[in-house]
Amino acid sequence: MAKAIKRILPKHKDEEIKGDEAAQPKVEVEEAEEAPIHGDVLETMILTRLTLLDLVAASRVSKAWRGSVSTSLHISPRLKPWFIVYAFHHRNHSLTSAFAFDPSSRVWLRIQNTHFTTTTSGAIRSSDSQYLLYSLSTTGFSFSFDPFHLTWHHVEAPLVWRENPIVAHLGSRIFVAGGTYDLIDDPLAVEMYNIGSGRWETCQSMPFLLKDSATSTWISTAATDSKLYLLEKRSLLICSFDAETKTWGDTFNLNLISNPTHINPPVPVFQSTIGFVDDRLIVVGLMGDPEDLQGLGLWEVDQHTYECRPIGEMPPEMVEKLRKANSPLSTMHASMEGGSIYIYDPRNPEQIFFCECELKKKEGIHEWGCVVNPMLNYRNRMQRFVFTCSRIMMRDIQKAVATGSRTFTIETDGDENGLSARTCR
């Protein structure tokens, strides 16, 4: 912690020692270093530059420091969602390693002690909606939706057996649909698990138009507490589900135009995904074809009329980097939370592309970036990746550390020394 503070403190020009001043006793320098740090300097110049991990350590120094940490979080709230990468062993699904990218501080953290215990023999998978992880088998259904997945719920398996279902978190319910075998009477069957009552509920079946793509492989989801949107990734067919009435709305084909004047023809999009950014329904689409990627676009979808308006595109130089890293690119995925979009190829997540949006502003500001996934340094042939995107608050880290459930180590940061390691236990 002291090293972190020392590293970021600016060196004042009056502190430079020249000429005869260099011969002054060292004790004077030591006395200057031990001078008290006034609250406003601590809060605005030091603590606002630290990571959430460092702030957890700083809050333990004293009651006064704890108050200064709270003030610094009001000044610099660190609200950008973290991108978390889990690597699961193919044979033992409970053995994992994990890394998280904190965009506010531009650091990668290694998360240790991420051994998940489930009551099923199924592999742990992720859902598009609200950082849900789950595991499903004939023996049961386990799921977790807190940011660091400290708590798991273990319940009975759905009434209908499913191999690769569409799963989403809607408030106090877990939505499960599709993913059935052809022998099942209703391959579009929908069920919801009510966390409050502890029971599975049967819902209206999925629209018939989705019968050939009713699996998580071909469907992208975006969820609120009461409503779910499904997007067929190839055809851009979209529909919505009301969790209160347990019924579906009409289906529509999205028309992704290249500009709001409707002069240009629809943009050829061969792969798409959907999610919420700042409460706006957003489609991320790959333009061109898998062998010839032309660009990556963002569109906002009107949640009532399903009209789409373009809101931005990935810069050409970044598209070129995406093309070179993943060719052909046919499995793009995007994780969205808050004002952030993380874009990656789940089969080859060497580079993670991200876009930070401010859609509530009229001009719709976008900041694009790219980071290298450090998880690949630890990868072996027996691992598969699972991705989530979570809003992380300081209390989430405090809880994980206090219970001993997680240990966090900053693997890389942006100081001049390159790699560093600071651990929070």
Side-chain angles (χ1 to χ4, degrees):
M1 175 65 200
K3 292 181 179 179
I5 293 177
K6 183 178 179 181
R7 185 176 69 245
I8 65 173
L9 279 174
K11 187 172 183 180
H12 194 277
K13 64 180 180 180
D14 294 339
E15 294 177 2
E16 296 179 359
I17 301 176
K18 298 180 180 179
D20 295 337
E21 296 180 3
Q24 295 296 322
K26 292 184 179 180
V27 66
E28 294 184 7
V29 177
E30 292 174 357
E31 290 176 355
E33 289 181 348
E34 295 179 359
I37 301 176
H38 296 288
D40 56 345
V41 175
L42 179 65
E43 294 160 3
T44 62
M45 295 186 62
I46 300 177
L47 297 181
T48 54
R49 305 185 188 187
L50 298 183
T51 69
L52 277 178
L53 196 63
D54 288 319
L55 291 182
V56 171
S59 67
R60 297 173 175 176
V61 174
S62 66
K63 185 176 181 181
W65 275 65
R66 194 157 53 247
S68 294
V69 168
S70 178
T71 300
S72 74
L73 286 173
H74 283 290
I75 299 172
S76 177
R78 323 293 210 280
L79 294 178
K80 296 177 181 178
W82 289 16
F83 181 73
I84 304 179
V85 184
Y86 293 102
F88 289 90
H89 196 279
H90 277 292
R91 292 179 181 172
N92 188 340
H93 305 310
S94 67
L95 297 179
T96 69
S97 55
F99 276 87
F101 176 66
D102 174 8
S104 296
S105 304
R106 290 295 197 271
V107 298
W108 280 98
L109 301 96
R110 188 177 185 186
I111 309 176
Q112 295 169 298
N113 300 337
T114 50
H115 293 178
F116 299 140
T117 301
T118 68
T119 57
T120 80
S121 58
I124 293 178
R125 305 178 185 276
S126 64
S127 167
D128 293 339
S129 61
Q130 301 184 11
Y131 36 90
L132 172 70
L133 292 183
Y134 67 92
S135 177
L136 174 65
S137 74
T138 55
T139 60
F141 182 55
S142 298
F143 60 91
S144 173
F145 49 79
D146 60 279
F148 290 123
H149 303 101
L150 305 180
T151 303
W152 282 79
H153 304 262
H154 309 295
V155 303
E156 294 180 353
L159 302 177
V160 177
W161 163 239
R162 307 163 188 278
E163 183 180 26
N164 188 20
I166 301 157
V167 181
H169 177 208
L170 290 82
S172 61
R173 304 176 180 92
I174 303 297
F175 172 98
V176 181
T180 64
Y181 290 104
D182 293 336
L183 298 177
I184 299 296
D185 291 339
D186 184 5
L188 299 172
V190 176
E191 299 172 73
M192 279 197 302
Y193 181 78
N194 189 311
I195 299 173
S197 66
R199 296 181 178 179
W200 286 99
E201 303 169 347
T202 302
C203 309
Q204 181 184 8
S205 297
M206 298 172 66
F208 182 76
L209 290 175
L210 297 176
K211 68 180 181 67
D212 294 327
S213 58
T215 70
S216 60
T217 302
W218 305 113
I219 297 291
S220 175
T221 65
T224 66
D225 285 347
S226 60
K227 198 166 188 178
L228 176 70
Y229 293 91
L230 299 187
L231 177 71
E232 211 284 333
K233 298 178 182 179
R234 300 166 299 179
S235 67
L236 295 174
L237 186 72
I238 190 171
C239 59
S240 64
F241 175 80
D242 189 311
E244 299 299 330
T245 63
K246 305 177 187 177
T247 58
W248 294 87
D250 295 331
T251 56
F252 298 86
N253 280 103
L254 295 183
N255 183 22
L256 302 183
I257 57 172
S258 57
N259 64 59
T261 62
H262 293 246
I263 295 176
N264 291 349
V267 177
V269 172
F270 64 90
Q271 179 80 6
S272 62
T273 187
I274 198 170
F276 280 103
V277 175
D278 285 337
D279 300 322
R280 312 290 182 90
L281 190 59
I282 302 299
V283 170
V284 179
L286 294 175
M287 299 180 288
D289 61 67
E291 300 293 341
D292 184 20
L293 177 65
Q294 297 298 313
L296 183 145
L298 307 177
W299 292 264
E300 180 179 354
V301 182
D302 187 295
Q303 298 178 45
H304 301 288
T305 65
Y306 292 102
E307 292 185 357
C308 303
R309 69 177 186 90
I311 57 175
E313 290 189 21
M314 178 181 280
E317 62 274 13
M318 199 164 292
V319 173
E320 182 63 25
K321 185 179 295 187
L322 177 64
R323 181 189 296 113
K324 289 182 178 180
N326 306 278
S327 182
L329 180 60
S330 59
T331 57
M332 179 274 301
H333 196 78
S335 297
M336 307 181 215
E337 181 71 23
S340 300
I341 304 173
Y342 292 95
I343 300 161
Y344 52 92
D345 182 345
R347 297 185 306 180
N348 181 29
E350 179 179 353
Q351 299 186 76
I352 310 299
F353 300 85
F354 61 89
C355 177
E356 295 173 358
C357 311
E358 294 188 37
L359 300 181
K360 294 181 181 179
K361 293 188 177 182
K362 197 169 185 179
E363 60 273 24
I365 301 173
H366 306 300
E367 179 184 348
W368 293 86
C370 176
V371 291
V372 176
N373 179 8
M375 178 70 80
L376 297 181
N377 296 330
Y378 300 84
R379 185 183 187 183
N380 63 58
R381 291 182 302 170
M382 298 301 293
Q383 289 180 325
R384 61 182 182 81
F385 291 121
V386 172
F387 309 87
T388 67
C389 181
S390 307
R391 291 176 186 254
I392 304 296
M393 308 298 288
M394 186 171 165
R395 62 177 177 268
D396 297 319
I397 300 178
Q398 290 173 323
K399 180 179 179 181
V401 171
T403 59
S405 301
R406 300 289 183 271
T407 298
F408 301 86
T409 302
I410 294 181
E411 290 283 318
T412 62
D413 66 12
D415 78 348
E416 60 187 6
N417 297 319
L419 294 178
S420 66
R422 300 198 297 281
T423 301
C424 190
R425 301 178 185 275

